[in-house]
Amino acid sequence: MAQTTQDVIGQYERYVMNTYVRSHLVIVKGKGSRVWDLDGHVYLDLFPGWGVSGIGHCHPWVMKALRGQSTKLLHVPNNYYHVLQWRLARRLVDVSFDGTVFFANSGAEMVESAIKLARRWGHLTASGGLRRHEIIVMERSFHGRTTGALSATGQPKYQEGFEPLLPGFVCVPFNDLDALRRAITPRTVAILLEPVQGEGGVRVASEAFVRGIRQLADAHKLVVIYDEIQTGMGRTGRWFAYQHTGIEPDVMLLAKTLGGGFPIGAMIAKRHLSQALTPGTHASTFGGSPVACACALAVFEAIEKQGLLERAGHFGALIMKRFTALKARCPIIQDVRGLGLMIGIELSVDGRPIVEACRGQRLLINCTQERILRLLPAMTITRAELDRALAILEAVLMAHVPQVAAA
Ligand SMILES: *Cc1c(COP(=O)(O)O)cnc(C)c1O
């Protein structure tokens, strides 16, 4: 029986828990920067999977790795070894910093892992009966929806009604080093931040801020944790956003693009810290499965062999230039900002009608914090696709400029 979009929406309403704001679009197929709906319409996707499909939907090398591995072995419990997990861990360390890697399946789980690592480190380094456990987090941050990650998220709108939250988080304004310095107490053990806030409105941490954090952390023996779940794996034109300043974290969290669409998350921690998690202290049943690792290894291949870091930097600069130029002609654009292929366009008006209008023109984008359009194009997008997508967005933005009333 043929299903229509309305049928599918009706069945969701009946059987699927209603926790998401969804657009009326049923997606049946994806390739690169294009997706197809039930009726065969093709959409350009400038927000593929909230950043998950960072190298495009169904990248051929990921699909090949997935097909190959899935005929051999899907899952190995972590009380045994398999041959792909160490390879992926080594790849991650080779492009970041020396340490060891813990694998799980999603972003929020990596945040939970970092909270446990930091607390355990505070416990092991306790002196004079003082067990450090407080983690400093940022306003407008986003770290996920599990209870610990939610408690670390600096946005009360996500926390409302779920109290009491996990204690031990102290929230300070982003890019405000003085406030952060004042928040450090003898109980502080870590500082957690996104080098570019995504959901919070595409806000880039200033170099002075991250440099100051590093100095304060070194002086007070604090663990610097970067949530690179959205920024990592090439999105910003480098493997990791921290590499734009060269100021290293001690712990880094990844998910989203890492698996090329297959769920996997990773936490990389410097060696002195990773010792805090000994056998039996932390685990994930599905973590680092052969299939997930095979997909992530294919993502590495694609980023390296297809020159995707350079592409992300190049196309990112091109998008910034176009919207900065448009800003001069389009009074509803207040600010254009970002890093590589992570771009925010702040408007003076509600962005949601603009997202809907773009969808009507078969272009998918996102709006966050009500007025900030967010673009996370795939690093594999073609120049022709990008030009077409930007032309649609520009036309929609111009059409939303309020007309001056005729006399
Ligand atoms: C998406 C995201 C998360 C949460 O990831 P999930 O896989 O949805 O749990 C955490 N931090 C950042 C920065 C994210 O963008």
Side-chain angles (χ1 to χ4, degrees), residues 106-108 111 142-144 194 227 229-230 256:
S106 67
V111 175
F142 182 83
H143 297 296
E194 300 150 88
D227 177 344
I229 289 164
Q230 192 167 140
K256 296 216 163 101

Side-chain angles (χ1 to χ4, degrees), residues 53-111:
S53 298
I55 65 165
H57 295 282
C58 297
H59 189 287
W61 299 358
V62 174
M63 299 311 276
K64 185 163 175 252
L66 178 62
R67 275 196 300 271
Q69 185 56 43
S70 66
T71 61
K72 291 182 212 143
L73 190 59
L74 296 180
H75 177 252
V76 170
N78 280 307
N79 55 322
Y80 301 113
Y81 297 88
H82 67 84
V83 295
L84 297 175
Q85 204 179 101
W86 75 267
R87 274 196 216 153
L88 178 58
R90 166 130 192 220
R91 285 290 241 155
L92 286 164
V93 167
D94 280 349
V95 295
S96 58
F97 48 83
D98 191 43
T100 61
V101 185
F102 176 80
F103 292 105
N105 318 286
S106 67
E109 279 176 284
M110 303 336 299
V111 175

Side-chain angles (χ1 to χ4, degrees), residues 49-50 52 105-111 141-146 149 153 193-199 227-231 253 255-256 264 342 374 376:
W50 294 74
V52 165
N105 318 286
S106 67
E109 279 176 284
M110 303 336 299
V111 175
S141 59
F142 182 83
H143 297 296
R145 306 301 196 124
T146 54
T153 291
L193 72 152
E194 300 150 88
V196 183
Q197 290 189 333
E199 204 277 343
D227 177 344
E228 291 233 23
I229 289 164
Q230 192 167 140
T231 53
L253 313 178
K256 296 216 163 101
I264 182 170
M342 186 167 178
R374 179 167 44 155
L376 295 175

Side-chain angles (χ1 to χ4, degrees), residues 10 15 24-25 39 47 61 83 93 99 105 109 116-117 171 187-188 214 223 278 289 292 340 354 367 374 377 386 406:
Y15 294 112
H24 288 194
L25 175 62
D39 303 316
F47 196 69
W61 299 358
V83 295
V93 167
N105 318 286
E109 279 176 284
K116 281 184 72 177
L117 175 71
C171 194
R187 292 177 302 282
T188 310
R214 188 67 266 174
V223 183
T278 49
S289 78
I354 289 170
C367 171
R374 179 167 44 155
L386 187 61

Side-chain angles (χ1 to χ4, degrees), residues 231-403:
T231 53
M233 296 304 289
R235 163 70 47 208
T236 68
R238 304 273 171 104
W239 280 106
F240 307 108
Y242 82 81
Q243 291 166 338
H244 287 272
T245 62
I247 300 164
E248 271 180 14
D250 303 305
V251 175
M252 179 167 68
L253 313 178
L254 301 172
K256 296 216 163 101
T257 295
L258 179 60
F262 200 88
I264 182 170
M267 170 172 75
I268 309 170
K270 290 193 173 160
R271 287 181 192 277
H272 68 285
L273 294 168
S274 43
Q275 284 166 15
L277 293 179
T278 49
T281 55
H282 197 44
S284 166
T285 301
F286 287 118
S289 78
V291 177
C293 290
C295 289
L297 284 164
V299 171
F300 266 94
E301 287 293 299
I303 292 174
E304 272 178 0
K305 302 228 169 94
Q306 299 189 307
L308 298 185
L309 300 181
E310 296 71 25
R311 263 181 101 81
H314 173 70
F315 282 163
L318 192 140
I319 299 172
M320 287 290 281
K321 208 168 128 206
R322 276 187 68 160
F323 284 103
T324 306
L326 183 69
K327 182 170 175 264
R329 292 184 286 124
C330 184
I332 60 172
I333 299 181
Q334 292 202 314
D335 190 25
V336 181
R337 54 182 182 252
L339 199 60
L341 281 180
M342 186 167 178
I343 288 141
I345 304 166
E346 182 161 351
L347 305 176
S348 56
V349 298
D350 188 348
R352 288 163 297 186
I354 289 170
V355 171
E356 282 308 297
C358 284
R359 199 167 61 83
Q361 306 283 318
R362 313 249 148 85
L363 171 67
L364 307 182
I365 61 168
N366 171 257
C367 171
T368 185
Q369 306 285 326
E370 278 89 53
R371 289 188 298 106
I372 299 159
L373 301 182
R374 179 167 44 155
L375 310 180
L376 295 175
M379 293 179 265
T380 50
I381 193 167
T382 66
R383 179 64 200 259
E385 286 166 338
L386 187 61
D387 282 341
R388 225 166 71 72
L390 296 183
I392 295 170
L393 179 52
E394 286 172 357
V396 167
L397 281 167
M398 289 308 288
H400 279 76
V401 174
Q403 300 298 307

